[in-house]
């Protein structure tokens, strides 16, 4: 039995420094790069009584805006779907829910690290859209007075 333990210990020992280094790197990376992908922006005034949709629905649209732009390329269908029927307060609520976000990658399982600066929703549009698509998006947001 002792001989089996010694064999196992000899087999595992060379890998211990790599495991310790990986765990240390994970915690250091998480500490110094914070691991977050969302920050608050100064909130726009929203008249909740003017919302045409419930807040959960609008929060879902904010998430879809991010999902449409975060990965490689831009999903224009998802990005524009349903925005043109919303009123100014709906759009302001979406802007507030979006906050400031960065493009991210998953470095370690369950963590995401920013690879760009934090941008609000309108900054994302300027970064991701051009030409007619940007003009169309500006037209949708004109009623809010912020774009």
């Amino acid at each position: 039995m002792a001989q089996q333990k010694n064999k196992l210990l000899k087999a595992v020992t060379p890998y211990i420094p790599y495991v310790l280094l990986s765990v240390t790197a994970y915690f250091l990376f998480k500490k110094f790069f914070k691991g977050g992908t969302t920050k608050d922006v100064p909130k726009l005034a929203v008249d909740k009584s003017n919302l045409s949709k419930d807040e959960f629905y609008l929060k879902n649209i904010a998430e879809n805006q991010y999902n449409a732009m975060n990965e490689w390329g831009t999903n224009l269908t998802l990005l524009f779907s349903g925005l043109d029927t919303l009123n100014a307060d709906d759009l302001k609520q979406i802007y507030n829910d979006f906050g400031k976000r960065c493009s991210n990658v998953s470095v370690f399982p369950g963590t995401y690290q920013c690879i760009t600066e934090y941008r609000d929703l309108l900054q994302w549009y300027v970064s991701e859209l051009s030409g007619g698509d940007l003009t169309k998006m500006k037209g949708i947001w004109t009623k809010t007075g912020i774009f």
Side-chain angles (χ1 to χ4, degrees):
M1 184 75 157
Q3 195 173 17
Q4 286 179 328
K5 276 187 175 179
N6 286 340
K7 282 184 181 180
L8 180 63
L9 190 57
K10 283 182 181 181
V12 172
T13 302
Y15 299 103
I16 291 174
Y18 296 109
V19 171
L20 293 174
L21 182 64
S22 298
V23 170
T24 303
Y26 168 77
F27 285 110
L28 287 174
F29 199 79
K30 193 169 182 179
K31 177 179 178 164
F32 290 110
F33 293 100
K34 306 296 186 223
T37 59
T38 306
K39 288 187 177 182
D40 286 335
V41 293
K43 300 294 184 200
L44 299 175
V46 175
D47 183 350
K48 304 278 185 178
S49 66
N50 283 342
L51 295 178
S52 67
K53 309 285 185 192
D54 64 75
E55 291 184 53
F56 178 78
Y57 182 86
L58 297 173
K59 190 172 193 71
N60 190 46
I61 290 176
E63 288 301 316
N64 285 340
Q65 295 294 290
Y66 181 65
N67 293 335
M69 296 184 285
N70 185 42
E71 299 293 327
W72 290 105
T74 302
N75 183 337
L76 294 174
T77 304
L78 182 60
L79 194 63
F80 285 104
S81 65
L83 285 182
D84 53 354
T85 63
L86 300 175
N87 66 38
D89 284 307
D90 293 336
L91 292 170
K92 288 178 185 178
Q93 184 64 47
I94 290 169
Y95 176 87
N96 289 344
D97 289 338
F98 189 90
K100 279 194 170 192
R101 302 183 186 203
C102 61
S103 294
N104 63 60
V105 294
S106 178
V107 179
F108 296 105
T111 66
Y112 293 93
Q113 303 303 321
C114 292
I115 59 172
T116 65
E117 73 280 359
Y118 285 88
R119 298 173 287 183
D120 68 23
L121 183 56
L122 304 180
Q123 291 169 325
W124 272 86
Y125 291 152
V126 170
S127 172
E128 294 289 319
L129 301 174
S130 62
D133 293 326
L134 183 58
T135 302
K136 181 179 176 182
M137 190 60 79
K138 284 182 177 181
I140 292 170
W141 283 82
T142 298
K143 52 189 147 194
T144 65
I146 60 171
F147 196 33

